[in-house]
């Protein structure tokens, strides 16, 4: 069969609609459960921070390391998931991730000491890293081409829903424990139960992984062509020429170039300029302090005089705002473009963070805010999350997936993602000590980075809306 014939028949398949769209959505949603766990595990620690601090009588620096150490595991999981998936399959990696999530949840709920709590956090981080890589990859490989963009958004939606659900569960547990993070429920302290509840979605993720098919791309790579055709028949249209689709996938795999770190070298500062731009996007996304809102918001509000029940409720409402902003970004990113959204988000975040810094500067000696400043701080905190979610939360990942030339895309994306995990760790590990030093000062630092992101985007970042990946360079 000629390549022209293959391409023509492949094009016919792309135009066809799947016979069972509901089944395709189920497969995608099951895979996106990894994203839900990603969001849940990333944010659930928010409810346990003060409980851990008082249980083990530790200072801010040690506490920050226990919270941030999971990010080391994230980097390990993200770095290894792709290679492992190419050897044993996407489904097996999902099952390994689910098992690690489950073990981490049980261990975190009943730690013997601070050191093994940190160990369970690292294990959960490895699961997060694996889920963050394998979910989007699997969804892209099983989605019918005509629906790939919409189905691909399931992963990001699942992450923000996971964040929201974790905050809702934490709030419910805290109220059941009478507002005391160290109050006892089911024989353990409330904060331990918050971490342990993750067993439920982790087990569900594992069970769902047995109900969905292996990626046709992986099946073809190991020579299981008949199984690959069966899966393609499930997820693509009735008019699809299965032989042509298999040939098309084989042809694409054969022509793929494995980029390496050496391909990124060049330019004045060691790496190619486009790679530095990708790193800059990743670093700015984290240095505005977004993960402070998800890891420490309960502690933050309690530090300025808000009672624990209300602080947990505000964490939940913030996560709902995060969902709203993400939906707005998904609707607008292909309509108005990536760069305008990023600039709007930067301006909104800068103003919101500056208002929070102003409000926290009024913190009194007894750790409370005047009513007016407290109201401003609360509104500004929600506005900050909204502006982040409708811009940098989604746009950065879109940019990173599109901006690099084909020949270096995989390696460049890996470097940019690694920079993001490192920046995430830096912010997460430093916030408790910064807050002890000067809470208002910490938010001034985040506001400065939001302001600096504006000229960075305007000068260095090029719009990728409507351009083919082959045009990048």
């Amino acid at each position: 069969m000629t390549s022209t014939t293959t391409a023509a028949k492949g094009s016919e398949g792309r135009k066809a609609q799947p016979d069972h769209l509901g089944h395709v959505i189920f497969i995608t949603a099951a895979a996106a459960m990894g994203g839900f766990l990603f969001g849940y595990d990333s944010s659930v620690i928010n409810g346990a921070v003060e409980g851990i601090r008082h249980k083990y009588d530790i200072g801010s620096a040690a506490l920050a390391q226990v919270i941030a150490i999971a990010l080391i595991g994230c980097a390990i999981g993200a770095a290894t998931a792709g290679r492992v998936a190419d050897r044993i399959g996407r489904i097996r990696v999902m099952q390994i991730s689910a098992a690690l999530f489950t073990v981490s949840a049980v261990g975190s709920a009943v730690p013997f000491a601070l050191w093994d709590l940190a160990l369970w956090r690292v294990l959960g981080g490895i699961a997060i890293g694996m889920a963050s890589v394998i979910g989007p990859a699997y969804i892209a490989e099983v989605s019918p081409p005509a629906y790939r963009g919409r189905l691909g958004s399931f992963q990001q939606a699942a992450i923000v829903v996971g964040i929201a659900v974790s905050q809702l569960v934490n709030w419910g547990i805290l109220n059941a424990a009478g507002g005391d993070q160290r109050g006892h429920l089911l024989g353990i302290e409330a904060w331990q139960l918050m971490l342990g509840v993750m067993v439920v979605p982790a087990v569900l993720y594992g069970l769902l992984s047995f109900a969905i098919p292996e990626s046709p791309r992986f099946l073809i790579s190991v020579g299981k062509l008949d199984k690959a055709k069966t899966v393609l028949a499930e997820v693509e249209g009735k008019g699809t020429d299965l032989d042509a689709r298999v040939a098309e996938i084989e042809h694409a795999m054969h022509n793929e170039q494995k980029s390496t770190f050496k391909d990124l070298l060049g330019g004045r500062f060691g790496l190619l300029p486009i790679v530095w731009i990708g790193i800059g996007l990743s670093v700015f996304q984290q240095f505005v302090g977004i993960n402070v809102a998800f890891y420490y918001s309960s502690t933050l509000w309690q530090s300025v005089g808000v009672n624990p029940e209300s602080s947990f409720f505000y964490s939940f409402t913030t996560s709902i705002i995060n969902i709203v902003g993400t939906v707005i970004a998904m609707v607008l990113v292909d309509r108005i473009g990536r760069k305008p959204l990023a600039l709007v988000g930067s301006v909104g975040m800068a103003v919101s963070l500056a208002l929070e810094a102003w409000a926290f500067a009024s913190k009194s000696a007894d750790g409370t805010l005047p009513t007016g400043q407290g109201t401003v701080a609360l509104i500004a905190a929600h506005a900050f999350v909204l502006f982040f979610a409708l811009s940098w939360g989604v746009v950065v990942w879109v940019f990173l997936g599109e901006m690099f030339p084909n020949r270096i895309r995989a390696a460049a994306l890996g470097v940019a993602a690694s920079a993001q995990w490192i920046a995430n760790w830096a912010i997460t590990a430093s916030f408790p000590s910064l807050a002890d030093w000067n809470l208002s000062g910490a938010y001034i630092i985040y506001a400065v980075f939001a302001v600096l992101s504006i000229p960075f985007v305007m000068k260095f970042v090029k719009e990728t809306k409507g351009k083919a990946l082959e045009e990048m360079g």
Side-chain angles (χ1 to χ4, degrees):
M1 180 180 293
T2 66
S3 59
T4 303
T5 305
T6 300
K9 291 188 176 182
S11 178
E12 291 174 9
R14 278 189 286 272
K15 292 176 183 176
Q17 292 187 356
D19 301 320
H20 305 289
L21 184 56
H23 179 59
V24 177
I25 291 174
F26 169 76
I27 291 172
T28 304
M33 271 297 296
F36 178 91
L37 281 168
F38 180 173
Y40 195 102
D41 188 74
S42 297
S43 186
V44 70
I45 193 67
N46 186 13
V49 172
E50 291 305 303
I52 293 170
R53 185 198 297 271
H54 294 114
K55 167 77 172 180
Y56 298 105
D57 192 24
I58 55 176
S60 294
L63 177 67
Q65 294 309 315
V66 174
I67 305 305
I69 199 169
L71 299 170
I72 305 299
C74 291
I76 296 171
T80 58
R83 292 182 181 180
V84 174
D86 284 340
R87 291 191 176 189
I88 65 176
R90 283 59 166 150
I91 298 297
R92 289 288 177 265
V93 171
M94 290 183 197
Q95 292 164 353
I96 291 171
S97 178
L100 293 178
F101 269 122
T102 303
V103 173
S104 170
V106 173
S108 298
V110 287
F112 299 105
L114 190 64
W115 68 266
D116 75 302
L117 174 61
L119 177 64
W120 302 126
R121 293 277 298 151
V122 172
L123 200 63
I126 294 173
I128 289 177
M130 295 178 78
S132 71
V133 170
I134 201 59
Y138 174 85
I139 291 171
E141 291 175 359
V142 301
S143 298
Y147 292 87
R148 185 169 295 137
R150 280 165 284 183
L151 294 175
S153 67
F154 274 44
Q155 177 78 0
Q156 181 63 25
I159 292 172
V160 296
V161 170
I163 292 172
V165 171
S166 72
Q167 299 309 312
L168 180 61
V169 170
N170 284 354
W171 181 52
I173 290 174
L174 185 74
N175 278 278
D180 183 3
Q181 290 183 37
R182 298 200 60 193
H184 282 74
L185 290 170
L186 304 178
I188 56 178
E189 295 184 7
W191 68 269
Q192 294 174 272
L193 185 58
M194 291 174 189
L195 300 181
V197 166
M198 196 178 68
V199 166
V200 177
V203 170
L204 179 60
Y205 181 40
L207 293 175
L208 286 172
S209 70
F210 287 97
I212 59 178
E214 182 54 86
S215 157
R217 185 182 176 90
F218 172 75
L219 292 171
I220 291 170
S221 74
V222 295
K224 297 181 179 180
L225 302 187
D226 289 338
K227 286 188 176 180
K229 290 177 184 178
T230 300
V231 177
L232 287 168
E234 286 183 34
V235 300
E236 299 204 1
K238 188 176 291 183
T240 303
D241 185 328
L242 298 178
D243 289 325
R245 284 291 290 124
V246 169
E248 186 180 18
I249 293 171
E250 284 183 313
H251 180 71
M253 292 170 63
H254 179 72
N255 288 316
E256 282 179 352
Q257 179 181 346
K258 297 291 185 181
S259 55
T260 65
F261 184 75
K262 287 184 179 179
D263 297 321
L264 308 182
L265 300 178
R268 188 182 304 174
F269 301 104
L271 298 174
L272 294 171
I274 191 67
V275 179
W276 282 117
I277 293 171
I279 292 172
L281 285 168
S282 290
V283 170
F284 274 118
Q285 187 199 49
Q286 295 301 316
F287 276 14
V288 295
I290 186 59
N291 279 310
V292 169
F294 297 129
Y295 295 165
Y296 296 113
S297 60
S298 295
T299 297
L300 172 65
W301 293 121
Q302 290 175 55
S303 74
V304 292
V306 177
N307 65 60
E309 293 96 327
S310 295
S311 72
F312 274 58
F313 180 71
Y314 294 150
S315 296
F316 171 62
T317 56
T318 300
S319 63
I320 295 299
I321 293 294
N322 188 34
I323 294 175
V324 172
T326 300
V327 171
I328 294 172
M330 289 164 61
V331 170
L332 295 181
V333 69
D334 284 326
R335 295 186 180 182
I336 70 172
R338 293 81 164 117
K339 193 168 178 176
L341 268 185
L343 291 171
V344 168
S346 292
V347 172
M349 288 189 297
V351 173
S352 301
L353 289 165
L355 287 172
E356 286 190 82
W358 171 80
F360 291 141
S362 301
K363 182 179 177 181
S364 63
D366 63 355
T368 60
L369 291 179
T371 302
Q373 283 84 341
T375 301
V376 169
L378 188 60
I379 294 173
H382 284 73
F384 165 60
V385 171
L386 176 64
F387 279 108
F388 176 86
L390 64 79
S391 60
W392 285 73
V394 170
V395 164
V396 167
W397 287 109
V398 175
F399 268 132
L400 294 181
E402 296 176 337
M403 65 187 288
F404 301 115
N406 282 336
R407 64 183 178 82
I408 66 166
R409 179 167 292 115
L413 183 54
V415 169
S418 297
Q420 194 168 122
W421 286 118
I422 293 169
N424 188 340
W425 173 83
I427 291 298
T428 304
S430 63
F431 176 73
S433 296
L434 279 175
D436 284 351
W437 163 68
N438 189 315
L439 182 58
S440 179
Y443 275 82
I444 290 174
I445 293 172
Y446 303 148
V448 167
F449 279 109
V451 170
L452 291 176
S453 71
I454 297 171
F456 174 80
V457 170
M458 294 181 69
K459 182 174 177 58
F460 298 111
V461 180
K462 295 181 179 179
E463 180 61 75
T464 58
K465 173 192 170 186
K467 294 183 179 180
L469 295 181
E470 289 71 28
E471 296 179 54
M472 305 303 169

